[in-house]
Amino acid sequence: MLDLLWLVPLAPFVGFLVLTVAGRRLSENAAAAIGIGTVGIAAVTTIAVAAQFLTHPPAGHVFTESLWEWLQAGRFAPRFALHLDGLSLTMLGVITGVGFLIHVFAAWYMHGDDNYARFFSYMNLFITSMVLLVLGDNLLFLFFGWEGVGLCSYLLIGFWYQDLVNAEAARKAFVVTRVGDACLAIGLIWLYRDLGTLDIQQALHLAQQHFAYGGPAITAITLLLLGGAVGKSAQLPLQTWLPDAMAGPTPVSALIHAATMVTAGVYLIARTHGLFELAPYSLEAVGVIGAATLLLASCAALVQSDLKRILAYSTISQIGYMFLALGVSAWSAAIFHLMTHAFFKALLFLTAGAVILACHHEQNIFRMGGLRSRLPLEYICFLVGGLSLAAFPWLTAGYYSKDEILHDAYTSGHTGLYLAGLIGAFLTPLYIFRLIITVFHGRATIDARRGHGITYWLPLVVLLILSTFIGGMIHPPTAELAKASFQASAAGVVASATAPADLLAGAAGLTGIALALALFLGERRLVTWIVGTAWGRLIARWWLQGWGFDWLYDRLFVRPFTAFANANIRDGVDLAVLAVAGAFRPLNSALVRTQTGRIRWYAAAMAFGAALVVAAVTVWGPHP
């Protein structure tokens, strides 16, 4: 079965080609069957590959399948080869498994859209690119998939491009992530210059011999790699694109901006962990960036009114937890949280899409209310997903992965990062239960209609189950990454809670849930009073604008650039080019007048031209 690994990226790519070529001639059912079916083939193949990999592991627990040599340029000869180990297998399961469920839900969500087939073609191309990213055995192959998911992100965020807001959000995501991509590209070039290879395993081996521990070269390279990860995973200071990316269809938000693409930066650092272990300052920067991001994003989520933007800031915060784990060398814990986060955040986003459609495309949570009785399935999904996000002890998947991160941060001696994670664990239930209580409790203020059909409820139910402790029992096979001292039972889910740090982690989440219920159930007098004060309004406005990063970047980069461009709009080069065009404009005008549309005139012109050619040859041509 391992020999069928090539089918995982090929199947969705074939679906993309078919949907692109024949999309307009396909019915909705046919387009959905192709889009979902090809991703389903990839998911089934992944299950078969995983079964053999886990029961009959290859030598060294690594399987490499070389497809062909990509290019040959002197010593530089990267190849298309698929590399499967515990890390890439975990990512593959998330991409194809959760991706398949989101595709199924999208068949219901996008029903009636004029560009139904085009939507599924973009989704299939994204799955292909993401699979190539995680299976690439060299960094150039990885970068190929990295840029592919960036392109698909642009296409899917701006899918409804007729609305200017959507087009601008897509452009913003593309430009901001390009900053990180440029850093990554420079880092790869530097790495190749020093090591002479971009093969990941060779680079990790040679780096131990070539770079001094903590040296300037390896520090600079890893910081550049971190720049790429920060851009793709929406971490400080490049986090501004993700909240605006919610302009795309909700299945896009679930697939790209919750479960897969935004975790590409986490995967990159985990995949190149051998390089980061040689650069302690870079590794510390990863943890600090994650801790700062999770706190800032949690605060911003507390004051948002748009349903999807709350979940977007939640995603930024949870990715921050993963970066925090990477920063303390808890590689396995980071990937574990990546997996559980994909379960409960995909559940929350898909349920949010169902609620938005049920409420006639309304996204303001304060225009909703009392939906608990009208949308019971959605309420249960949001409740379980919210509890998992808040790491409710023992019953939810999110508890086990987040508890492991906080445990490892504490036991590794990173007290500051542990405290930041603890504060984040307290803030998380505040914003998610503010959302749940506002939307589903209180007085009904909007008419809502339930969704129906197997493509609607099946993905929600499956993700609902995976968001409970059942999802926490699926521990990633990342033994090669495990360096933390997290203790677990044979099932891998019951963590030791004897240490005070572990008790505090659980207590922080429970305290946040209790405070959220006290603050937001009922008349909310305390919240109203706080928001009514001058300092409360100021902080709320500041957090509502994402801590003002867009305002800052507009004045630091956008306005100076546009001012410079406007000042140089008539520079010397432009004037020279325009002068050439102006010189030929009269001739163009004269030629345009000859295009009369009269056949006799064209025939006469051809005869006259032929006569001129014959005369020229007669007068100036060679003579015997």
Side-chain angles (χ1 to χ4, degrees):
M1 285 298 179
L2 293 178
D3 294 334
L4 293 178
L5 187 61
W6 55 269
L7 189 58
V8 180
L10 180 64
F13 183 68
V14 171
F16 159 73
L17 293 178
V18 174
L19 290 167
T20 301
V21 173
R24 292 188 176 275
R25 296 186 292 274
L26 295 173
S27 64
E28 276 196 8
N29 289 337
I34 295 170
I36 298 172
T38 52
V39 176
I41 292 172
V44 171
T45 306
T46 298
I47 294 172
V49 167
Q52 181 171 351
F53 185 89
L54 297 175
T55 57
H56 300 87
H61 293 270
V62 173
F63 173 76
T64 301
E65 184 177 13
S66 182
L67 301 180
W68 65 82
E69 190 175 89
W70 192 350
L71 55 91
Q72 178 78 45
R75 294 186 303 110
F76 185 58
R79 59 179 183 170
F80 265 111
L82 307 179
H83 177 91
L84 185 70
D85 57 9
L87 174 58
S88 54
L89 181 62
T90 302
M91 293 295 297
L92 211 58
V94 170
I95 294 165
T96 60
V98 177
F100 173 73
L101 294 173
I102 294 172
H103 272 70
V104 172
F105 185 86
W108 171 81
Y109 187 90
M110 298 300 293
H111 173 65
D113 193 279
D114 293 337
N115 296 291
Y116 193 84
R118 179 166 65 90
F119 175 81
F120 277 101
S121 72
Y122 291 166
M123 294 278 277
N124 277 30
L125 181 60
F126 170 80
I127 293 290
T128 303
S129 300
M130 195 70 198
V131 168
L132 293 178
L133 190 158
V134 302
L135 287 182
D137 84 323
N138 65 78
L139 290 168
L140 187 60
F141 196 174
L142 182 150
F143 190 71
F144 180 79
W146 186 278
E147 290 302 300
V149 297
L151 170 63
C152 295
S153 175
Y154 171 79
L155 295 173
L156 286 166
I157 295 171
F159 181 75
W160 291 318
Y161 60 87
Q162 296 87 347
D163 189 337
L164 183 60
V165 174
N166 298 340
E168 290 179 344
R171 183 176 60 186
K172 180 179 180 180
F174 194 78
V175 171
V176 173
T177 55
R178 289 293 74 72
V179 176
D181 294 357
C183 292
L184 177 58
I186 296 171
L188 297 186
I189 294 171
W190 194 336
L191 190 66
Y192 178 77
R193 189 200 67 174
D194 285 0
L195 300 182
T197 182
L198 288 178
D199 182 277
I200 296 174
Q201 302 309 313
Q202 290 183 18
L204 296 180
H205 176 71
L206 293 174
Q208 302 286 338
Q209 307 168 9
H210 183 83
F211 296 114
Y213 179 79
I218 188 62
T219 300
I221 289 171
T222 49
L223 285 176
L224 288 168
L225 297 182
L226 174 59
V230 160
K232 197 68 76 181
S233 292
Q235 297 292 284
L236 283 171
L238 300 178
Q239 82 286 0
T240 58
W241 66 269
L242 187 60
D244 290 347
M246 297 301 108
T250 303
V252 173
S253 304
L255 179 65
I256 296 183
H257 307 122
T260 52
M261 177 185 138
V262 290
T263 60
V266 179
Y267 171 79
L268 174 66
I269 296 176
R271 174 56 73 197
T272 58
H273 69 279
L275 301 179
F276 280 86
E277 288 173 348
L278 294 173
Y281 294 111
S282 299
L283 201 58
E284 191 71 23
V286 174
V288 171
I289 288 173
T293 303
L294 75 88
L295 293 177
L296 266 64
S298 296
C299 292
L302 276 171
V303 299
Q304 303 297 317
S305 59
D306 186 287
L307 177 58
K308 290 175 65 176
R309 287 183 76 88
I310 296 173
L311 297 180
Y313 278 110
S314 170
T315 296
I316 297 173
S317 178
Q318 296 306 303
I319 301 294
Y321 271 105
M322 299 173 206
F323 269 64
L324 188 154
L326 295 171
V328 301
S329 297
W331 315 107
S332 184
I335 301 304
F336 188 20
H337 194 57
L338 184 156
M339 183 192 71
T340 60
H341 175 262
F343 296 155
F344 63 73
K345 189 54 65 67
L347 173 65
L348 288 171
F349 264 112
L350 293 186
T351 309
V355 171
I356 290 169
L357 286 190
C359 296
H360 317 287
H361 300 280
E362 180 59 66
Q363 294 188 202
N364 190 324
I365 63 173
F366 294 109
R367 295 175 185 169
M368 305 175 185
L371 297 179
R372 178 178 51 176
S373 58
R374 302 189 182 193
L375 303 173
L377 175 60
E378 291 82 351
Y379 175 65
I380 294 172
C381 290
F382 245 110
L383 188 60
V384 173
L387 287 170
S388 192
L389 173 63
F392 189 82
W394 299 295
L395 298 181
T396 62
Y399 165 73
Y400 296 103
S401 56
K402 187 179 291 186
D403 180 74
E404 185 172 340
I405 290 174
L406 294 176
H407 178 92
D408 293 345
Y410 181 79
T411 55
S412 63
H414 293 81
T415 307
L417 298 182
Y418 167 75
L419 291 175
L422 207 61
I423 296 171
F426 169 75
L427 293 175
T428 301
L430 285 181
Y431 66 71
I432 194 60
F433 276 90
R434 168 180 175 265
L435 184 158
I436 293 172
I437 293 169
T438 302
V439 172
F440 293 100
H441 290 261
R443 183 173 56 88
T445 58
I446 191 171
D447 180 41
R449 61 179 186 272
R450 298 180 185 178
H452 60 276
I454 189 172
T455 57
Y456 169 75
W457 60 262
L458 180 61
L460 297 180
V461 171
V462 173
L463 289 170
L464 172 68
I465 295 172
L466 291 174
S467 297
T468 65
F469 66 93
I470 295 175
M473 296 174 68
I474 310 172
H475 213 284
T478 52
E480 74 277 5
L481 294 176
K483 294 186 65 177
S485 59
F486 176 69
Q487 301 295 324
S489 69
V493 294
V494 183
S496 171
T498 57
D502 296 330
L503 294 176
L504 282 175
L510 292 175
T511 304
I513 293 174
L515 182 59
L517 296 176
L519 288 176
F520 302 115
L521 278 176
E523 299 182 4
R524 306 188 179 189
R525 292 180 180 178
L526 180 58
V527 175
T528 303
W529 175 79
I530 294 174
V531 175
T533 61
W535 59 269
R537 287 195 300 270
L538 177 63
I539 293 176
R541 190 179 304 114
W542 190 23
W543 290 356
L544 183 65
Q545 299 302 320
W547 294 81
F549 279 92
D550 282 322
W551 177 90
L552 179 64
Y553 293 162
D554 180 64
R555 281 153 180 79
L556 284 179
F557 303 112
V558 178
R559 293 191 181 186
F561 178 80
T562 54
F564 178 79
N566 290 332
N568 289 274
I569 199 169
R570 293 289 184 180
D571 63 11
V573 175
D574 284 344
L575 290 175
V577 173
L578 292 174
V580 173
F584 284 93
R585 190 171 290 116
L587 176 60
N588 176 72
S589 299
L591 292 175
V592 167
R593 293 191 182 95
T594 65
Q595 306 303 307
T596 62
R598 298 177 181 176
I599 296 178
R600 290 183 179 180
W601 167 256
Y602 293 155
M606 292 172 63
F608 180 70
L612 287 179
V613 171
V614 171
V617 171
T618 302
V619 175
W620 291 291
H623 297 281

